[in-house]
Amino acid sequence: MAAGVMTGLPMRGWMSSMHSNFQNPETKIKVEGLAVDYNFIKTMGIPIIKGREFSEEFGSDMTRSVILNETAVKALGISDPIGQKLEESNIIGVVKDFNLHSIHTDIPPLSIHMTDKYIQQVAVHYRPGMMNTVLPFIEAEWKKAAPDRPFLYSTIESLIASLYSSEKNLSTIVSIFALFTLLIAAFGLFGLVLFVSKSRTKEIGIKKVFGSSGNAIIKSFLRSNLILVLISSLTSVPVTIHFMDRWLDNFSFKTIISPWVFIVAFVVSAIIVTVTVFFHAYKASRTNPVEALRYE
């Protein structure tokens, strides 16, 4: 299935016009335009929720029909859009909202019109895995229709990849820095726990002299260190949320920051602390109290 279009999706440019709100004519609404050929809506898989799409059976569709998206119907204040007029065009259908541009921008009010003069691209719907079969056929047909113009093509995947290339690069850079930060933090945490454990060797000896068991000493060490890890984890939550919210403000469509991110970070830190403290506390608890008291 194929259809012509003036500018393919996702659009990189803007073509808009001003229309009066149906409920309040003094209010002007900016509505973007998309010029298409027959079967474009079906080719792109855009759901029609009211009315119909453009059809060759209706001769007026080419010049006097328009299809709106949900946002346009709401922004223009149209209660029953099918059959009403938008300027000189009859509203024949309403499509479900779809992303006209990138997700950095909101879905705008959109009017879809027919054209047979400004077709610059052809959208082709093909089954997965059929690219190598379909492409030679399309190229052959293109050379028949426009032998003086070069055959250029791109897939929707490549268009989306180029549209969000900066986000992909940022994701790669952040991932690399996050990995190094995690390693540095893990070694730093290991060293800090080791230092604290060593500095409390005499304390362990004194506790053993006064009858503390090895298990009690280990539990005491784990409890004090895990409390510090919990405090540091809770402190990092508002800072992380603040900076992530600032970054997400660049997008119109946002996601929430999963609490699992903070839970996993806490669990990793707790495991490092637990293993390190347990190893040194256990070793110290097995040491002769006399040797522990002599430790400098």
Side-chain angles (χ1 to χ4, degrees):
M1 188 179 296
V5 61
M6 183 175 178
T7 303
L9 302 177
M11 288 178 60
R12 294 178 180 266
W14 283 264
M15 181 176 66
S16 60
S17 57
M18 303 300 293
H19 297 280
S20 298
N21 183 280
F22 278 51
Q23 304 297 328
N24 186 5
E26 295 182 358
T27 302
K28 299 297 181 180
I29 306 299
K30 181 180 179 181
V31 179
E32 291 201 34
L34 178 63
V36 304
D37 195 5
Y38 294 110
N39 297 322
F40 179 79
I41 293 175
K42 185 182 294 183
T43 299
M44 298 302 296
I46 302 171
I48 297 177
I49 57 178
K50 288 183 181 179
R52 62 176 178 85
E53 65 175 317
F54 299 113
S55 173
E56 295 182 68
E57 297 179 2
F58 298 87
S60 61
D61 280 2
M62 180 60 70
T63 56
R64 296 185 179 180
S65 296
V66 63
I67 296 175
L68 303 178
N69 68 349
E70 295 173 289
T71 300
V73 172
K74 186 181 296 183
L76 291 169
I78 310 174
S79 56
D80 187 15
I82 305 303
Q84 299 204 45
K85 281 186 171 292
L86 183 68
E87 302 297 340
E88 299 299 323
S89 299
N90 294 316
I91 303 174
I92 63 170
V94 178
V95 296
K96 188 176 180 62
D97 282 340
F98 60 91
N99 290 303
L100 188 65
H101 306 291
S102 76
I103 58 175
H104 289 279
T105 58
D106 293 325
I107 295 176
L110 175 67
S111 62
I112 305 174
H113 301 265
M114 286 284 296
T115 182
D116 59 353
K117 298 179 181 179
Y118 305 104
I119 298 298
Q120 299 181 11
Q121 299 180 24
V122 177
V124 179
H125 183 104
Y126 60 91
R127 294 179 182 176
M130 297 292 292
M131 182 67 172
N132 293 333
T133 303
V134 172
L135 191 59
F137 173 77
I138 297 175
E139 185 175 4
E141 293 298 316
W142 178 267
K143 290 180 178 178
K144 293 178 184 178
D148 56 331
R149 300 186 66 178
F151 175 70
L152 303 174
Y153 77 94
S154 60
T155 62
I156 189 68
E157 291 81 8
S158 63
L159 287 173
I160 292 176
S162 64
L163 195 64
Y164 302 111
S165 58
S166 59
E167 282 77 19
K168 185 177 180 180
N169 294 336
L170 178 62
S171 175
T172 302
I173 294 172
V174 170
S175 298
I176 293 173
F177 274 97
L179 177 60
F180 281 106
T181 302
L182 181 62
L183 291 175
I184 293 171
F187 282 116
L189 186 59
F190 180 86
L192 177 62
V193 172
L194 177 61
F195 171 76
V196 173
S197 300
K198 288 288 187 181
S199 64
R200 296 179 65 180
T201 302
K202 282 189 175 182
E203 178 185 336
I204 294 172
I206 294 172
K207 287 183 177 181
K208 290 195 69 175
V209 169
F210 282 94
S212 294
S213 64
N215 290 337
I217 293 172
I218 293 173
K219 288 180 181 179
S220 173
F221 266 62
L222 287 175
R223 183 170 56 252
S224 59
N225 282 277
L226 288 177
I227 289 175
L228 293 177
V229 172
L230 179 61
I231 293 173
S232 61
S233 297
L234 293 176
T235 304
S236 69
V237 171
V239 177
T240 303
I241 292 177
H242 171 73
F243 284 103
M244 288 302 299
D245 281 342
R246 291 281 299 273
W247 181 69
L248 289 172
D249 284 340
N250 295 319
F251 301 88
S252 293
F253 301 89
K254 303 175 185 178
T255 183
I256 61 173
I257 302 174
S258 174
W260 284 106
V261 174
F262 305 104
I263 294 173
V264 170
F266 170 75
V267 170
V268 171
S269 302
I271 290 174
I272 295 173
V273 170
T274 301
V275 172
T276 306
V277 171
F278 181 83
F279 175 76
H280 292 291
Y282 178 79
K283 185 178 178 181
S285 66
R286 306 291 294 181
T287 304
N288 189 313
V290 176
E291 295 180 7
L293 292 173
R294 291 176 179 176
Y295 179 79
E296 294 295 336

